[in-house]
C-alpha cells in the first residue's frame, strides 16, 4: 500500500523535499559533472595538439596536459562509485586543479626561458576560471564559504610573488609584466565577483529556508511530525479527483481526556506520540495524519473493506503492545472505516462517513473497528450535522423562536401562567423538533447557554 509523496519531518525541516526528489537531485549532478570533465579533457588534448615542439613543451607542457587528461578519466570513473557525493567530488577536483596550476607556475618560475614564460602565463589564464568555479561549488557544498576567496587570494599573492621573482631573475621584461598584471586583474575580478555571488546565494538560501520552514509548518503537526488536516484535505481531494480507490481510517484515542485531566497534558502529549509511533511502525499505514486533538487518519490505497478493517485491527493490536499506551490509565483505539467510492462520492463525504463509523464505535463500547454502514450510521450523521448547525444557529441567533403555551386554572377557567417553549426552524432542514435538538444540546453542553 502506498504512502504519501510527502515527508513532514523537518526534513526535513525541508526540504519541502521528498525522498524521490532528493534521489533525483543526487543523480542529476553526475551527468553535469561528467560533461565538465569531458570538456576539460578536450581542452587538454587541444593544448597538446597545439604545442610548438620547443624544449618546454616536450619536457613539461606535454606531461602536464597528459596528467590533466588522465586525471579527467580517473575522476569520471570515480563519479559513479558508491558513496560519491557532489561535495566530495567538487573538493577533489578543486584540489587537483589547484595542485596542477601551482605545479605549472613553479616549473615556469624555475625552468622557463624569458620568451616562453609570457606565452605560458597567458595559456594558464585560461585555467583560472576553472579553479574559481570549483572554488565556488566546493564552498557551497562543503560549507566552507571562505574557501574560494582564500584560493583566489592565494593566486593574487602567487602572481605578486612571480612578478617579484621575475624581476630579480631576468630584469624588467614588459611583456611578462603585462601578462602578470592581467593575471592579477583576472584574479581580482574573480574575487570581487565570487564575494558578491556567495553573499547573494547565502541570502537566497536563507530566504528559501524561511519559505520552506513556513510551508512545512503549514502542513505539519508540530507535536507528532505527521501531516496535518490541511495536508489531509489536499490529499483526499487529489485522490478523489483522480478517482482512486482508497480507504479512510479515523482513529480516536479513547480515554484521552481522562489522561489529560488526571495525569496532565505532558502525559497526554506522550500518549499522542505513542500512537504516532504505532502508525509509523505499521507497514500498512505510511500515509498517516493527525486530524485534531486525539484523532488520527490513515489512508490506504486499493484495499477492500475487510482488508481495511484488518489493518485497523492490526493497529489496535500494536497499540495494546506499546508500553506507553498502558500506564496509569489504559488507552485503546476506536477506529471507523470508510471506502471511496463504495461508501462516498466526495472527499468530505468519505471522511464524514469514517467519522460516523468511529462515533458508532464510541457509543457501543470503544476499542473496536467498524466500517461505515449507511443504514446504521444515518442517525449518527444526523446527530453530528445537527450538533454543528445548532452551535452555529445559537451563536448567530438564527432560526430560534419562542412559542407560549398558556396554563389554565381548571376551576375558574382563567389562564394563570404560560410556558415559553423553544422552537428551531432550520433554513434548509426545516422545523426540527425539540425532542430531537434538546438531547443534542444536552450532550454537547450547549443546553445551559440556550436555557439562559
Amino acid at each position: 500500500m502506498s504512502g504519501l509523496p510527502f515527508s513532514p519531518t523537518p526534513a526535513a525541516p525541508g526540504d519541502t523535499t521528498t525522498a524521490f526528489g532528493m534521489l533525483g537531485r543526487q543523480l542529476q549532478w553526475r551527468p553535469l559533472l561528467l560533461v565538465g570533465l569531458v570538456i576539460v579533457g578536450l581542452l587538454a588534448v587541444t593544448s597538446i595538439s597545439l604545442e610548438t615542439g620547443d624544449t618546454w613543451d616536450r619536457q613539461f607542457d606535454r606531461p602536464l596536459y597528459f596528467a590533466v587528461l588522465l586525471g579527467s578519466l580517473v575522476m569520471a570513473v570515480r563519479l559513479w562509485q558508491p558513496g560519491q557525493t557532489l561535495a566530495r567530488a567538487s573538493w577533489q577536483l578543486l584540489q587537483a586543479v589547484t595542485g596542477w596550476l601551482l605545479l605549472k607556475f613553479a616549473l615556469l618560475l624555475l625552468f622557463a626561458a624569458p620568451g616562453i614564460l609570457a606565452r605560458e602565463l597567458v595559456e594558464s589564464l585560461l585555467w583560472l576560471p576553472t579553479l574559481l568555479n570549483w572554488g565556488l561549488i566546493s564552498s557551497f557544498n562543503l560549507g566552507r564559504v571562505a574557501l574560494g576567496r582564500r584560493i583566489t587570494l592565494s593566486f593574487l599573492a602567487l602572481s605578486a610573488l612571480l612578478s617579484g621573482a621575475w624581476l630579480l631573475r631576468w630584469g624588467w621584461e614588459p611583456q611578462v609584466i603585462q601578462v602578470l598584471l592581467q593575471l592579477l586583474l583576472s584574479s581580482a575580478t574573480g574575487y570581487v565577483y565570487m564575494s558578491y555571488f556567495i553573499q547573494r546565494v547565502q541570502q537566497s538560501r536563507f530566504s528559501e529556508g524561511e519559505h520552506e520552514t513556513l510551508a512545512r509548518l503549514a502542513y505539519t503537526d508540530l507535536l507528532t511530525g505527521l501531516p496535518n488536516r490541511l495536508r489531509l484535505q489536499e490529499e483526499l481531494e487529489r485522490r478523489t479527483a483522480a478517482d482512486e480507490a482508497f480507504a479512510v481510517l479515523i482513529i480516536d484515542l479513547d480515554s484521552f481526556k481522562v489522561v489529560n485531566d488526571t495525569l496532565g497534558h505532558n502525559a497526554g502529549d506522550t500518549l499522542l506520540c505513542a500512537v504516532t509511533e504505532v502508525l509509523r511502525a505499521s507497514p500498512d499505514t505510511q500515509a498517516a495524519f493527525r486530524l485534531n486533538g486525539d484523532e488520527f487518519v490513515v489512508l490506504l490505497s486499493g484495499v477492500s473493506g475487510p482488508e481495511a478493517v484488518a489493518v485497523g485491527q492490526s493497529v489496535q493490536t500494536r497499540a495494546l503492545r506499546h508500553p506507553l499506551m498502558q500506564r496509569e490509565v489504559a488507552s485503546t483505539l476506536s477506529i471507523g472505516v470508510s471506502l471511496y467510492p463504495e461508501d462516498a462520492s466526495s472527499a468530505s463525504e468519505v471522511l464524514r462517513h469514517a467519522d460516523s463509523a468511529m462515533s458508532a464505535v464510541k457509543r457501543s463500547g470503544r476499542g473496536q473497528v467498524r466500517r461505515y454502514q449507511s443504514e446504521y450510521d444515518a442517525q449518527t450523521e444526523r446527530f453530528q450535522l445537527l450538533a454543528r448547525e445548532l452551535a452555529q444557529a445559537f451563536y448567530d441567533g438564527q432560526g430560534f423562536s419562542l412559542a407560549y403555551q398558556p396554563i389554565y386554572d381548571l376551576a375558574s377557567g382563567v389562564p394563570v401562567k404560560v410556558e415559553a417553549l423553544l422552537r428551531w426552524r432550520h433554513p434548509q432542514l426545516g422545523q426540527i423538533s425539540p425532542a430531537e435538538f434538546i438531547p443534542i444540546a444536552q450532550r454537547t453542553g450547549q443546553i445551559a447557554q440556550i436555557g439562559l
Side-chain angles (χ1 to χ4, degrees):
M1 297 164 193
S2 63
L4 285 180
F6 176 78
S7 174
T9 307
D15 257 287
T16 62
T17 52
T18 67
F20 291 107
M22 292 175 63
L23 180 61
R25 286 195 296 273
Q26 290 175 354
L27 294 178
Q28 287 172 1
W29 63 265
R30 287 184 171 89
L32 293 175
L33 210 58
L34 184 61
V35 171
L37 290 171
V38 170
I39 294 174
V40 170
L42 291 176
L43 289 175
V45 172
T46 302
S47 298
I48 294 172
S49 64
L50 295 178
E51 64 181 19
T52 61
D54 56 26
T55 304
W56 168 264
D57 285 340
R58 292 193 307 273
Q59 293 183 355
F60 299 104
D61 235 16
R62 189 181 301 171
L64 284 172
Y65 284 113
F66 271 119
V68 170
L69 182 59
L70 179 61
S72 299
L73 294 174
V74 172
M75 193 64 209
V77 173
R78 296 186 63 179
L79 286 180
W80 306 98
Q81 290 180 342
Q84 183 68 288
T85 63
L86 177 58
R88 186 178 296 112
S90 60
W91 175 239
Q92 292 170 351
L93 283 169
L94 178 65
Q95 289 179 309
V97 174
T98 304
W100 186 85
L101 275 176
L102 289 175
L103 176 61
K104 182 170 184 178
F105 282 148
L107 292 174
L108 283 171
L109 179 63
L110 295 175
F111 302 107
I116 295 175
L117 182 59
R119 184 193 70 199
E120 292 298 327
L121 287 178
V122 171
E123 184 181 301
S124 300
L125 284 175
L126 298 176
W127 295 93
L128 187 59
T130 302
L131 177 66
L132 298 178
N133 289 334
W134 285 118
L136 280 171
I137 296 174
S138 299
S139 298
F140 300 146
N141 287 284
L142 297 175
R144 304 175 183 178
V145 177
L147 181 62
R149 299 176 184 174
R150 289 199 297 268
I151 291 175
T152 306
L153 287 175
S154 68
F155 269 90
L156 290 172
L158 178 63
S159 301
L161 179 63
L162 284 172
S163 302
W166 179 265
L167 291 174
L168 290 175
R169 182 180 179 186
W170 302 102
W172 182 266
E173 179 67 35
Q175 186 180 14
V176 173
I177 299 302
Q178 181 182 3
V179 170
L180 291 175
L181 289 177
Q182 289 175 346
L183 181 60
L184 284 169
L185 180 61
S186 175
S187 300
T189 303
Y191 174 75
V192 172
Y193 170 76
M194 188 183 304
S195 300
Y196 174 77
F197 185 77
I198 290 176
Q199 182 181 5
R200 295 290 296 179
V201 170
Q202 285 177 319
Q203 293 174 350
S204 175
R205 280 187 170 181
F206 181 77
S207 178
E208 289 176 0
E210 285 185 325
H211 288 303
E212 289 176 358
T213 300
L214 291 175
R216 191 163 51 252
L217 291 176
Y219 285 99
T220 307
D221 175 64
L222 296 181
L223 175 63
T224 63
L226 293 174
N228 60 14
R229 176 189 286 272
L230 179 61
R231 185 66 182 89
L232 169 65
Q233 188 61 39
E234 290 187 356
E235 182 61 18
L236 287 174
E237 292 175 356
R238 184 192 69 79
R239 293 192 181 204
T240 52
D243 202 25
E244 296 181 13
F246 63 95
V248 174
L249 278 64
I250 287 190
I251 303 170
D252 185 271
L253 181 55
D254 301 326
S255 306
F256 179 67
K257 188 176 186 305
V258 176
V259 172
N260 269 343
D261 293 343
T262 58
L263 302 179
H265 289 282
N266 287 337
D269 290 347
T270 301
L271 202 56
L272 293 174
C273 292
V275 175
T276 302
E277 291 179 9
V278 170
L279 296 179
R280 284 177 169 162
S282 175
D284 301 319
T285 59
Q286 294 89 350
F289 307 79
R290 185 184 177 191
L291 188 59
N292 55 43
D294 59 344
E295 289 186 348
F296 298 81
V297 171
V298 169
L299 301 184
L300 304 175
S301 298
V303 296
S304 64
E307 289 174 335
V309 171
V311 171
Q313 293 170 340
S314 173
V315 170
Q316 283 185 323
T317 301
R318 290 174 179 272
L320 290 174
R321 295 173 180 171
H322 197 287
L324 295 179
M325 295 288 290
Q326 309 300 325
R327 304 181 74 181
E328 291 87 342
V329 177
S331 299
T332 56
L333 301 178
S334 295
I335 303 177
V337 179
S338 178
L339 271 66
Y340 177 89
E342 295 181 37
D343 301 330
S345 58
S346 66
S348 59
E349 192 175 40
V350 69
L351 190 63
R352 187 174 70 250
H353 287 177
D355 188 53
S356 298
M358 185 269 294
S359 298
V361 171
K362 287 283 194 180
R363 292 197 306 273
S364 62
R366 304 184 177 186
Q368 302 172 29
V369 182
R370 173 172 172 164
R371 182 180 171 184
Y372 171 79
Q373 301 177 30
S374 58
E375 60 272 23
Y376 298 124
D377 294 333
Q379 184 179 359
T380 298
E381 292 202 13
R382 172 79 174 180
F383 175 89
Q384 294 171 335
L385 172 62
L386 292 182
R388 292 192 299 268
E389 295 296 320
L390 181 64
Q392 189 65 37
F394 173 72
Y395 287 112
D396 292 345
Q398 296 178 358
F400 288 113
S401 62
L402 290 176
Y404 297 96
Q405 176 174 291
I407 299 177
Y408 289 85
D409 182 352
L410 293 181
S412 62
V414 176
V416 294
K417 64 176 71 174
V418 293
E419 288 181 342
L421 305 176
L422 185 65
R423 297 291 181 262
W424 180 24
R425 176 176 291 278
H426 191 277
Q428 283 81 39
L429 303 176
Q431 192 73 34
I432 300 173
S433 169
E436 185 174 17
F437 74 78
I438 292 299
I440 294 175
Q442 291 172 335
R443 288 182 59 183
T444 57
Q446 301 178 70
I447 190 64
Q449 292 175 309
I450 292 176
L452 290 174

